[in-house]
Amino acid sequence: MRLRVVSLHLASIFFYSTVSAQEPRRTGFFDLPDTTVPARVWALGAGTVAAYSGSLLVLNKYWYKGYPRQPFHFYNDAGEWLQMDKAGHVFSAYAYSKLSRELWRWSGLPRKQQIWIGGLSGFAYQSVIEVLDGSSANWGFSWSDVAANTIGSAAMIGQELLWNEQRIQFKFSWSPVRYPDPVLKQRANGIYGVNALEQVLKDYNGQTYWASLRLAAFFPEKNFPKWLNIAFGYGADGMYDAFENAWEDNEGKPVNYTHIRRVRQFYLSPDIDLTRIPTRRKGVKVLLQALNMIKIPAPALELTSGGRLRAHAFHF
């Protein structure tokens, strides 16, 4: 039902833009038009549907492959992984929403329509993944995931409507984690993967999620450089299962590593808003938009939930 409503909403936007837009002035392919260009609206709409459908088919085939299916059900995972997975949902929804909003600038649609389409596209994409989870025996439809998705998309929409820019940007960083204990290494390989791409996506012990604030936007009287940000990060360490460090091995024997403390990590670090680097090259601007989702390596202060404070020459 929800997908049907979204489809009707998008169809009405396409129809409105086609019949009501004035003939725009001639623009180059990479130029952002001042008025709606119906052909671009249709192209972006079709491309969005194709990209979303293709990625969901890939997820359904490879991510869920090998896991048993069962009737749609709910699952409360709010307490898992020290909420690192929820931070991932916030970041992913924000990133999808921001990317979609940037793409819809190319259409020439009115600004608010671009913002709402972008934000709702990111939320809808994440919601469909949640529905797939609801049909898998290993997961379930999670309302806390939906809440995190809402926060991510709302953060993009709210800032655009309030400030017409992203003063607070959500970012991601990852560092490889060494597991010298052979038991822990086997466990990490089993749940986090063995290659770098799998580990970037799955190894919560190596991930950090950031909220990066542009100082010049919040303190204009201080004359901070426009590209200078301060970033607040959240990470976690010592996790080898969802709730506690106890699991069963491949032979069904219990393994107890609850003596390893699971800790939350809070970071403070300088950052750079790459989109504020001046350039006239449109390709470079697009590249900087994409790279700006990644937190640059920089000095950082770390405070753990265990009360440990330490400084890092570089943290990524």
Side-chain angles (χ1 to χ4, degrees), residues 75-87 141-145 147-148 234 242-243 264:
Y75 177 65
N76 181 11
D77 63 350
E80 291 185 349
W81 303 109
L82 296 182
Q83 291 74 53
M84 281 297 292
D85 59 325
K86 301 300 174 281
F141 185 95
S142 166
W143 285 111
S144 56
D145 284 354
Y234 176 67
F243 291 101
R264 302 178 190 272

Side-chain angles (χ1 to χ4, degrees), residues 136-181:
S136 173
N138 286 56
W139 296 282
F141 185 95
S142 166
W143 285 111
S144 56
D145 284 354
V146 173
N149 297 338
T150 303
I151 292 171
S153 294
M156 191 286 293
I157 294 172
Q159 291 187 80
E160 288 293 332
L161 294 177
L162 180 62
W163 296 318
N164 196 27
E165 64 176 346
Q166 298 294 302
R167 295 186 180 184
I168 305 171
Q169 301 184 57
F170 295 163
K171 300 190 177 189
F172 170 81
S173 65
W174 175 81
S175 296
V177 180
R178 292 181 65 254
Y179 298 102
D181 185 310

Side-chain angles (χ1 to χ4, degrees), residues 14 33 89 260 306:
F14 296 156
H89 276 271
I260 295 181

Side-chain angles (χ1 to χ4, degrees), residues 210 230-231 267-271 295-301 311-315:
W210 303 85
I230 187 72
Y267 296 95
L268 180 66
S269 176
D271 189 30
K295 168 71 171 66
I296 65 166
L301 287 176
H312 299 269
F314 284 96
H315 180 78

Side-chain angles (χ1 to χ4, degrees), residues 233-249:
Y234 176 67
D237 193 23
M239 299 181 295
Y240 300 97
D241 205 67
F243 291 101
E244 62 177 353
N245 292 332
W247 63 92
E248 292 183 351
D249 63 17

